[in-house]
Amino acid sequence: MMNSARYAALALAAWGVAFTGAAEAKVQEVSERGIVLRYVAHVSVGPEETWAVLVKPSQWWDSEHTYSGDAANLTLDARPGGCFCEVLPAAAGAEGGARGGVEHMRAIYVDKGRALRLSGALGPLQADAAVATLTFQFKPDETGTQVLVEYVVGGYFRGDPAKLAPMFDGVLGEQVGRLVEKLGGSFAAAFRPETMDEGIPEAAAVPAELAGPPVPKADGKARIIGR
């Protein structure tokens, strides 16, 4: 969400400094096929309140990881086709309003209070032929909401995936941590990923003719809605 050099420098800095509350399970997969980042957390509020904060990135996204330098310029239209966008304000004293904007991601799966999936290559990946999806999934429990976040990157991107993965994790992990902190929660050491399957109707899944080969669950990992 900024020029590649600045993004990379900040990402490496984030990787090298322990972030308070960082998820224990972050980089799940790195290969020639791409990168998978996954985070699990628990917040003390219900899914509806969790959703209400999630769709207002200006309240929790770090201004350092924007093109404009101010998270107040971020908006998220949480409906199919809706934009996770950023306004680029005009320079001080300039006339004519905003000078432009950035589409960071686009909503492709919206189930209020349950799941949100966005499509888009963040940061320096936007300049490459990369494809990526960012999924948020919520599951209520007795004390609040379990949150699962997954970012999957594929396609073509310049650079070694093994080196890029921790950089992207450093930046995205920080944003997830800020969201969780905003909601008064923490990354959950006792998170039970199998519970994310409970109460999810089969109708929520992608139709079989569109889904391609089935993705098996492995090692007790949580199923991402839509797979």
Side-chain angles (χ1 to χ4, degrees):
M1 290 189 178
M2 57 184 68
N3 69 68
S4 298
R6 183 177 175 217
Y7 184 98
L10 287 170
L12 286 171
W15 178 29
V17 178
F19 175 72
T20 303
E24 291 186 8
K26 298 184 285 187
V27 178
Q28 292 294 306
E29 179 182 335
V30 180
S31 71
E32 68 281 357
R33 297 185 304 167
I35 298 167
V36 178
L37 306 178
R38 184 178 293 127
Y39 311 87
V40 292
H42 185 273
V43 297
S44 58
V45 299
E48 293 296 323
E49 187 173 344
T50 301
W51 177 275
V53 174
L54 170 66
V55 299
K56 295 180 180 177
S58 60
Q59 295 185 358
W60 52 272
W61 199 274
D62 189 350
S63 292
E64 285 295 315
H65 298 295
T66 63
Y67 284 106
S68 64
D70 189 349
N73 294 315
L74 297 173
T75 59
L76 173 53
D77 184 4
R79 57 181 175 176
C83 184
F84 173 24
C85 285
E86 179 179 353
V87 172
L88 298 179
E95 298 181 358
R99 71 180 188 273
V102 182
E103 178 183 298
H104 295 297
M105 310 191 87
R106 184 166 292 273
I108 58 174
Y109 186 101
V110 181
D111 189 354
K112 185 176 181 180
R114 289 165 50 90
L116 175 66
R117 176 171 293 138
L118 305 171
S119 176
L122 293 169
L125 290 174
Q126 189 183 73
D128 292 338
V131 293
T133 56
L134 176 63
T135 301
F136 296 86
Q137 183 176 331
F138 309 122
K139 173 69 177 180
D141 62 18
E142 298 82 0
T143 59
T145 303
Q146 299 175 54
V147 181
L148 173 65
V149 183
E150 186 178 74
Y151 189 51
V152 182
V153 182
Y156 175 81
F157 44 93
R158 291 163 283 192
D160 181 355
K163 295 180 180 178
L164 292 173
M167 291 168 53
F168 298 147
D169 169 55
V171 176
L172 183 59
E174 179 184 355
Q175 309 320 306
V176 175
R178 289 170 63 90
L179 171 63
V180 171
E181 183 179 7
K182 179 73 175 179
L183 291 164
S186 62
F187 285 107
F191 181 80
R192 294 179 299 134
E194 68 274 11
T195 66
M196 297 300 285
D197 277 335
E198 298 173 3
I200 299 174
E202 288 302 318
V206 173
E209 63 271 20
L210 300 178
V215 179
K217 289 188 290 184
D219 303 322
K221 297 292 191 304
R223 178 172 70 86
I224 304 295
I225 288 181
R227 286 191 170 181

